[in-house]
Amino acid sequence: MDEEGPDCGKADFVLLDQVTMEDFMENLKLRFEKGRIYTYIGEVLVSVNPYQELPLYGPEAIAKYQGRELYERPPHLYAVANAAYRAMKRRSRDTCIVISGESGAGKTEASKHIMQYIAAVTNPSQRAEVERVKDVLLKSTCVLEAFGNARTNRNNNSSRFGKYMDINFDFKGDPVGGHIHSYLLEKVLRGCEDSQLEDLHLQRNPALYSFTRQGAGLNPLDSDERSHHQAVMEAMRVIGFSPEEVDSVRRILAAILHLGNIEFVEMEEGGLEQGHVAVAEEVLVDHVAELTATPQESVMRCLLSRTVASGGRELIEKGHTAAEASYARDACAKAVYQRLFEWVVNRINCVMEPRGRDPRRDGKDTVIGVLDIYGFEVFPVNSFEQFCINYCNEKLQQLFIQLILKQEQEEYEREGIAWQSVDYFNNATIVDLVERPHRGVLAMLDEACSAAGTITDRIFLQSLDTNHRHHAHYTSRQLCPTDKTMEFGRDFRIKHYAGDVTYSVEGFIDKNRDHLFQDFKRLLYNSSDPTLRAMWPDGQQDITEVTKRPLTAGTLFKNSMVALVENLASKEPFYVRCIKPNEDKVAAKLDEGHCRHQVEYLGLLENVRVRRAGFASRQPYPRFLLRYKMTCEYTWPNHLLGSDRAAASALLEQHGLQGDVAFGHTKLFIRSPQTLVTLEQSRARLIPIIVLLLQKAWRGTLARWHCRRLRAVYTIMRWFRKHKVRAHLAELHRRFQAARQPPLYGRDLVWPTPPAVLQPFQDTCRLLFCRWRARQLVKNIPPSDMAQIKAKVAAMEILQELRQDWGCRRAWARDYLSSRRVAVWIHQTCCWSSKDLPQAGPICPQATDNPTASGLFAQRLNALREKDGFGTVLFSSHVRKVNRFNKRQDRALLLTDRHLYKLDPGRQYRVMRTVPLALVTGLSVTSGRDQLVVLHARGQDDLVVCLHRSQPPLDNRVGELVGVLAAHCQGEGCALEVRVSDCIPLSQRGARRLVSVEPKPEQPEPDFRCSRGAYTLLWPSR
């Protein structure tokens, strides 16, 4: 879909250096190998069937071609469809697209893609009626293929009819209706619907039926057939076929299959029915009668005899021979299928008919016609069908040459260029040979069909020889006895524009006649099936009223061709020539001999010569300058001359090419392809330099845009930050105006969420505020209580959120073993919150833990003070200890500012162990309410104790011990590690042990339980 390079060959055959078959085929093969299946001949598109899916279609491809000129993008079907649509919409002129080629060349697929393009680019406002018409147009193709296409040995989806579809557009360019014409449906049945087999008396194997036996050997995939059937049913539903009509179609198709299997036998002599014909299997007649809703005896009578009206209007029933009965059977089957196909086409046309359109109100509709017609056919044996098809192609070729020359001449006149006569092969003499009144082939064939007596195909051939013996394009073996490629009495040859074709006259007369007897028409008209009855309006006539001979197949086809050519001649044509690359229907294979034959009979080389007879290329001045202006200093980047024509003249003069062109009013005409090659080469050399220049300029522009945006962003951010800072500071000022009010000093004030840039500032402010508020609270506390406050602060920093209760709301006496009674005073002015320090209570006397032995403890304390010289007692309490020998005993714990003492209260507080405080490295506690403490000392066994015998019982003093020890260590500048864990590891004489707590409600006093390698404190939880 991107720009094509020189390695892909010439995108237009007109630009070939030499117009020869060798150069043409070489360019066609090169493009096919590069995946370029489309090539132009001027405005004619040549398409090669790739036999595979290529990424050339879809919404993205449609968008690239929509609204573009024909040569702005690489050759494509979408370009032709867009050109036809733009010509119709811009100039309100009817256009048509003629698609031709042999079976398997891709004509049907090409028409589908054209319809898809038109459907995609129309109705942007999504009008419901237009969408309905588009759906019918798209779905009609599927239905017509199901009834008009067949699987052949040349093509799995071969169109056996010619189709011309008119699409009506309103002034907006939206489709509002359409009409379909069909031409020469071949009367051969190669496929049929196989659903509801039981009701239709059918079996799934198509080889069982005469009309489908030949196609059954082509091995179609069941899944493909099933999906195709579902698609056809859905398409018929969308178009508007009722369920009853679909059922009628199924029954008619089944009746045709059964009709083809009916065989006739001559009765043996001597029998009751001597000399008469009978049906071999009467059950088939029963099936036909049931499916066509006609009486069984009437069907039997029509098959075995016919009714003839004599001159005196007397009716005579004449019996058939077996051969005549078989011929009548086949004629009936062919006629029923043809009438069915015509009914389907008419039904679709009724649905597509524009609704509610008034030309006086809505304006005249414009039309795009799409003609999908069979191409020129040359087989080993060519019969009446090939003769009609090739006659059709002769007519279209004649029209094609005339329209191309007419377009060329009109363009020359518009541009003021002198017209030059173009030599070309005029096939009017061949068309006249076929359709000339009285002496033409078709006229003489009709005469042979209507003559009295027995006229054979051989007699018809003799008549042709007599009348056309001197015609330059007609010959036969009788006229040319030395030509042994033809047989005597059978073959004649016509020299068509595409080559010589030998026809066999065998069957010409029979195929041209209408062999359907009036009995069948009346039979089917009287059917109780309304759908079938509507297909046979001529059966209403009485046999005595039928006097006019029906038109022959050849005459009907000639009339349709004349009407088709007149229709196409009134429109602006666009052409698509389809080529079949090989007979094997495989991808990536191009049979040069086979393609050369198609190029010849499609007249493509002739088309190139006509196109190049005057000028090989013509371009509007603006488009020419847009592509080549960089090759001239006077036109790059924009010219300052008086007109685009003057600029184009200056450009060509600089290259020395002014002698090979002609200047029209709006277009530049270039005579030889070499001039275009020279300009393209100059452009190709400069494009990389221009691309680098544009990239540099564009990158600089992007960088400047980005820089300006960044500056704007930073300016906005700076002013917004200033605004946020001012707003935040104003909010802080408003909220903290009352922070100096005692006794709370702003305790309950909520800090506003700061901007990100002010987060460090607010963190500092909060710290300063906390220090200021602490100062306001602390300065009202008596100096004697400051030690307790510092200890609680230290405990809070360590145990906050780690231990459930650490005794923050009680007074800390520290020394619980020295005096009988201790009065703890806490000033009412200290009103702490849980966020700061424990809330103090009123003046409260507290009982001592040692009412009887406090004197002994005081004596021991004085002795230790004289001995060790400590200054203050940090903490004292009774404890329950356990040692490495698993001995559990009551002891007293004394903590001074110099030592840690373990005392025995039962022996006048004798010192059992002394540990310098400098060796204490840490302590461990649990997270519960128990009073377990493990003291860790460097180089000594860890001390495991539980504080107990307190007043009140089980008083929580762990936090007090942690706080006073931590506060002392902070004051001394030494480290103290405090760990909170429910399973505490400890070391005694190098052995590792664990100590944990087990709540036990029935336990009267705390005690330890020893096990191997572990201690458990049994705590009386109450």
Side-chain angles (χ1 to χ4, degrees):
M1 297 298 294
D2 299 329
E3 192 73 20
E4 293 183 353
D7 58 322
C8 296
K10 298 288 196 306
D12 193 332
F13 285 113
V14 175
L15 302 180
L16 291 174
D17 296 333
Q18 300 292 329
V19 185
T20 64
M21 178 60 74
E22 290 71 21
D23 291 334
F24 190 99
M25 291 304 304
E26 182 181 355
N27 189 64
L28 183 71
K29 184 177 182 180
L30 174 62
R31 291 184 61 79
F32 182 77
E33 292 173 350
K34 296 292 184 179
R36 309 290 176 165
I37 62 173
Y38 298 119
T39 312
Y40 287 131
I41 302 178
E43 294 183 352
V44 177
L45 183 71
V46 178
S47 170
V48 182
N49 191 347
Y51 285 117
Q52 62 178 327
E53 294 291 334
L54 295 178
L56 301 177
Y57 313 100
E60 293 184 2
I62 289 174
K64 290 184 178 181
Y65 283 91
Q66 185 176 359
R68 299 283 186 172
E69 295 293 339
L70 195 65
Y71 290 100
E72 288 188 48
R73 296 287 185 191
H76 201 286
L77 272 171
Y78 290 162
V80 175
N82 178 69
Y85 180 73
R86 281 162 59 89
M88 179 275 300
K89 190 174 180 181
R90 282 182 174 180
R91 301 193 289 270
S92 297
R93 184 173 179 180
D94 294 345
T95 61
C96 65
I97 302 173
V98 180
I99 307 172
S100 61
E102 73 170 47
S103 177
K107 301 186 298 297
T108 302
E109 289 300 316
S111 65
K112 287 182 186 178
H113 289 306
I114 290 173
M115 298 295 294
Q116 290 168 359
Y117 179 86
I118 294 174
V121 301
T122 55
N123 196 29
S125 58
Q126 297 294 309
R127 288 188 291 165
E129 175 62 17
V130 176
E131 286 299 308
R132 182 193 70 82
V133 173
K134 285 165 55 174
D135 288 342
V136 173
L137 289 173
L138 294 176
K139 296 296 184 181
S140 65
T141 302
C142 179
V143 176
L144 293 177
E145 282 184 18
F147 290 93
N149 289 18
R151 179 176 288 106
T152 69
N153 57 359
R154 303 189 72 199
N155 184 8
N156 288 339
N157 191 32
S158 177
S159 298
R160 309 318 300 159
F161 71 107
K163 180 184 70 176
Y164 176 75
M165 176 184 291
D166 270 335
I167 308 172
N168 296 75
F169 294 85
D170 61 10
F171 71 96
K172 297 180 180 178
D174 293 332
V176 293
H179 192 84
I180 297 172
H181 303 269
S182 62
Y183 303 97
L184 187 67
L185 172 69
E186 284 194 19
K187 297 166 185 171
V188 180
L189 304 178
R190 298 193 184 274
C192 182
E193 168 61 34
D194 61 353
S195 64
Q196 300 180 343
L197 300 179
E198 185 176 353
D199 293 340
L200 301 178
H201 309 292
L202 294 176
Q203 298 185 41
R204 190 171 298 278
N205 185 4
L208 299 177
Y209 302 96
S210 174
F211 290 147
T212 59
R213 189 168 296 133
Q214 184 175 352
L218 298 176
N219 297 325
L221 295 177
D222 291 340
S223 58
D224 293 344
E225 294 291 333
R226 193 174 297 110
S227 62
H228 180 63
H229 169 256
Q230 294 173 353
V232 173
M233 293 298 102
E234 174 63 18
M236 295 182 75
R237 184 192 66 79
V238 171
I239 291 172
F241 287 87
S242 66
E244 294 78 13
E245 292 174 331
V246 175
D247 290 339
S248 294
V249 171
R250 288 197 186 100
R251 290 195 298 271
I252 293 170
L253 292 173
I256 293 173
L257 291 178
H258 290 303
L259 190 62
N261 279 6
I262 294 177
E263 299 291 342
F264 301 96
V265 294
E266 297 279 357
M267 300 301 295
E268 295 181 1
E269 292 188 6
L272 189 61
E273 301 289 335
Q274 181 178 354
H276 284 213
V277 176
V279 175
E281 296 183 58
E282 292 192 6
V283 66
L284 296 176
V285 180
D286 296 338
H287 293 337
V288 172
E290 176 188 345
L291 294 170
T292 57
T294 55
Q296 190 270 352
E297 58 275 8
S298 299
V299 176
M300 184 71 75
R301 185 167 53 252
C302 291
L303 289 171
L304 299 179
S305 64
R306 64 189 178 101
T307 303
V308 181
S310 65
R313 296 184 179 274
E314 182 182 356
L315 300 181
I316 301 174
E317 185 171 322
K318 181 182 178 182
H320 291 319
T321 65
E324 290 174 341
S326 298
Y327 214 88
R329 173 204 63 199
D330 293 343
C332 178
K334 296 172 184 178
V336 170
Y337 194 80
Q338 183 177 12
R339 295 288 180 101
L340 172 62
F341 183 76
E342 291 174 352
W343 176 83
V344 169
V345 172
N346 292 333
R347 187 72 177 80
I348 295 173
N349 285 336
C350 291
V351 176
M352 289 196 300
E353 197 69 29
R355 299 179 180 178
R357 300 284 298 170
D358 186 353
R360 293 172 297 180
R361 180 192 65 205
D362 302 318
K364 178 183 177 295
D365 291 345
T366 48
V367 173
I368 292 180
V370 179
L371 176 62
D372 176 2
I373 199 74
Y374 17 63
F376 200 86
E377 290 190 350
V378 183
F379 297 149
V381 178
N382 301 285
S383 187
F384 180 71
E385 290 84 3
Q386 283 69 47
F387 178 78
C388 292
I389 288 174
N390 294 341
Y391 161 62
C392 167
N393 279 270
E394 288 285 356
K395 292 285 289 184
L396 293 178
Q397 177 69 9
Q398 183 185 32
L399 176 68
F400 172 70
I401 296 296
Q402 290 174 353
L403 291 180
I404 288 295
L405 292 176
K406 181 181 177 182
Q407 287 177 340
E408 290 279 301
Q409 188 171 1
E410 288 178 351
E411 186 172 24
Y412 279 42
E413 292 175 355
R414 284 197 307 268
E415 296 295 329
I417 304 295
W419 171 252
Q420 300 174 357
S421 178
V422 178
D423 295 331
Y424 65 96
F425 171 68
N426 190 344
N427 64 341
T429 181
I430 302 175
V431 174
D432 185 66
L433 170 66
V434 176
E435 66 179 16
R436 182 180 177 184
H438 307 300
R439 295 192 60 187
V441 175
L442 290 177
M444 297 180 66
L445 181 61
D446 287 349
E447 183 179 351
C449 292
S450 61
T454 304
I455 303 296
T456 63
D457 294 324
R458 180 183 289 268
I459 295 175
F460 165 64
L461 178 59
Q462 292 173 357
S463 178
L464 290 178
D465 292 341
T466 302
N467 285 276
H468 301 295
R469 60 186 312 114
H470 300 298
H471 199 287
H473 295 273
Y474 175 87
T475 187
S476 68
R477 184 67 182 272
Q478 182 70 29
L479 301 178
C480 185
T482 59
D483 189 350
K484 296 183 179 181
T485 59
M486 295 182 288
E487 291 188 13
F488 277 109
R490 192 195 74 175
D491 296 342
F492 70 93
R493 180 177 297 153
I494 294 179
K495 297 180 180 179
H496 289 281
Y497 78 94
D500 297 351
V501 181
T502 301
Y503 298 100
S504 171
V505 295
E506 292 180 354
F508 261 57
I509 294 177
D510 291 336
K511 293 177 181 179
N512 190 48
R513 284 174 178 161
D514 183 4
H515 282 283
L516 185 65
F517 299 126
Q518 190 70 15
D519 303 68
F520 285 109
K521 298 179 182 179
R522 290 194 299 273
L523 171 70
L524 297 174
Y525 173 75
N526 292 317
S527 170
S528 58
D529 185 343
T531 301
L532 182 60
R533 179 187 177 91
M535 299 177 190
W536 299 91
D538 48 348
Q540 186 178 6
Q541 293 177 306
D542 189 82
I543 188 171
T544 59
E545 300 175 4
V546 181
T547 57
K548 185 178 180 181
R549 184 184 301 274
L551 295 177
T552 62
T555 300
L556 290 173
F557 185 69
K558 183 186 75 171
N559 294 341
S560 66
M561 284 298 101
V562 172
L564 174 63
V565 169
E566 290 178 354
N567 190 1
L568 295 178
S570 65
K571 296 177 171 60
E572 182 176 343
F574 295 85
Y575 293 91
V576 178
R577 302 297 206 191
C578 298
I579 293 178
K580 183 178 181 180
N582 58 77
E583 286 287 356
D584 302 325
K585 297 178 282 189
V586 296
K589 176 184 176 183
L590 191 139
D591 185 340
E592 191 167 343
H594 184 66
C595 292
R596 181 189 295 263
H597 178 64
Q598 296 175 76
V599 170
E600 289 175 350
Y601 72 64
L602 285 173
L604 299 184
L605 213 58
E606 186 79 12
N607 190 2
V608 176
R609 292 192 181 101
V610 170
R611 183 72 180 182
R612 284 180 51 139
F615 295 92
S617 175
R618 66 287 315 268
Q619 297 183 36
Y621 293 119
R623 192 189 308 166
F624 176 81
L625 290 173
L626 183 63
R627 184 163 186 84
Y628 301 114
K629 63 181 180 179
M630 71 287 299
T631 64
C632 177
E633 58 182 330
Y634 302 111
T635 57
W636 177 258
N638 293 302
H639 71 84
L640 300 177
L641 301 176
S643 64
D644 289 344
R645 175 174 176 172
S649 177
L651 187 150
L652 292 166
E653 187 174 352
Q654 179 168 327
H655 288 279
L657 302 173
Q658 65 274 18
D660 195 43
V661 300
F663 295 93
H665 299 313
T666 62
K667 291 182 179 180
L668 175 69
F669 290 74
I670 302 175
R671 183 168 285 104
S672 64
Q674 286 77 11
T675 298
L676 281 178
V677 172
T678 301
L679 292 173
E680 285 292 334
Q681 290 175 347
S682 299
R683 180 178 180 272
R685 287 193 300 269
L686 293 172
I687 284 296
I689 302 173
I690 296 173
V691 168
L692 290 176
L693 176 65
L694 293 177
Q695 286 179 344
K696 181 178 68 173
W698 179 241
R699 286 169 180 163
T701 301
L702 290 179
R704 286 188 290 274
W705 286 355
H706 184 64
C707 181
R708 283 197 291 268
R709 282 196 295 267
L710 283 180
R711 288 176 180 172
V713 168
Y714 289 148
T715 301
I716 293 171
M717 290 171 59
R718 184 170 63 253
W719 284 97
F720 182 72
R721 284 171 180 167
K722 289 181 179 180
H723 164 72
K724 294 290 287 183
V725 168
R726 292 192 187 99
H728 184 70
L729 294 178
E731 180 66 14
L732 283 177
H733 182 267
R734 185 187 66 80
R735 293 192 183 191
F736 285 86
Q737 282 182 342
R740 294 180 179 274
Q741 302 285 335
L744 299 180
Y745 294 103
R747 183 191 67 183
D748 299 328
L749 292 175
V750 179
W751 288 76
T753 302
V757 69
L758 286 184
Q759 187 64 53
F761 169 76
Q762 180 149 313
D763 292 341
T764 304
C765 289
R766 294 187 73 162
L767 179 61
L768 293 175
F769 176 75
C770 291
R771 296 175 68 90
W772 171 83
R773 184 168 175 270
R775 176 62 182 167
Q776 298 302 315
L777 296 175
V778 168
K779 70 182 182 180
N780 295 323
I781 300 175
S784 59
D785 293 339
M786 285 305 298
Q788 181 182 168
I789 295 301
K790 291 181 179 179
K792 288 188 174 183
V793 170
M796 180 185 69
E797 292 176 350
I798 295 172
L799 301 177
Q800 184 83 13
E801 299 179 356
L802 295 178
R803 184 176 171 89
Q804 298 177 2
D805 185 9
W806 47 276
C808 63
R809 295 185 177 276
R810 48 176 286 277
W812 289 1
R814 296 197 180 193
D815 188 1
Y816 292 95
L817 303 179
S818 294
S819 60
R820 295 175 179 271
R821 186 145 325 253
V822 178
V824 181
W825 305 90
I826 298 184
H827 292 267
Q828 293 292 332
T829 55
C830 297
C831 188
W832 307 90
S833 69
S834 61
K835 298 179 181 178
D836 302 302
L837 288 176
Q839 185 174 358
I843 301 173
C844 57
Q846 180 171 323
T848 183
D849 293 355
N850 197 15
T852 59
S854 59
L856 293 174
F857 180 77
Q859 293 176 8
R860 180 61 64 184
L861 191 63
N862 291 331
L864 291 174
R865 181 179 285 113
E866 292 177 0
K867 176 184 176 184
D868 296 332
F870 62 83
T872 59
V873 175
L874 300 180
F875 185 81
S876 66
S877 175
H878 289 115
V879 297
R880 182 75 168 173
K881 71 99 179 178
V882 62
N883 61 11
R884 67 178 184 278
F885 302 112
N886 297 336
K887 291 184 178 180
R888 306 181 298 276
Q889 292 178 338
D890 290 338
R891 293 288 187 263
L893 182 68
L894 173 61
L895 181 65
T896 68
D897 56 356
R898 292 285 186 88
H899 295 85
L900 171 66
Y901 301 97
K902 182 175 71 173
L903 309 177
D904 186 356
R907 300 170 63 182
Q908 296 180 353
Y909 292 100
R910 178 183 175 182
V911 177
M912 304 298 295
R913 182 180 177 185
T914 301
V915 179
L917 199 58
L919 298 180
V920 176
T921 59
L923 71 164
S924 299
V925 299
T926 65
S927 60
R929 293 182 56 86
D930 57 88
Q931 300 299 298
L932 176 65
V933 178
V934 178
L935 294 162
H936 307 283
R938 185 169 52 253
Q940 300 192 30
D941 290 347
D942 294 341
L943 179 62
V944 183
V945 298
C946 174
L947 308 179
H948 80 136
R949 289 172 58 186
S950 58
Q951 293 297 327
L954 304 180
D955 193 17
N956 195 347
R957 295 177 182 173
V958 170
E960 183 177 356
L961 175 58
V962 172
V964 296
L965 185 56
H968 174 75
C969 291
Q970 290 175 3
E972 294 294 326
C974 57
L976 178 70
E977 182 182 3
V978 179
R979 287 180 291 181
V980 179
S981 174
D982 291 333
C983 187
I984 302 173
L986 57 96
S987 176
Q988 292 180 336
R989 284 293 189 270
R992 305 292 294 178
R993 294 191 178 187
L994 297 175
V995 58
S996 58
V997 179
E998 179 182 336
K1000 202 165 186 179
E1002 66 274 10
Q1003 182 77 17
E1005 292 291 336
D1007 200 1
F1008 288 96
R1009 181 178 64 204
C1010 300
S1011 61
R1012 185 173 183 178
Y1015 302 134
T1016 301
L1017 173 63
L1018 304 177
W1019 179 255
S1021 59
R1022 298 169 185 160

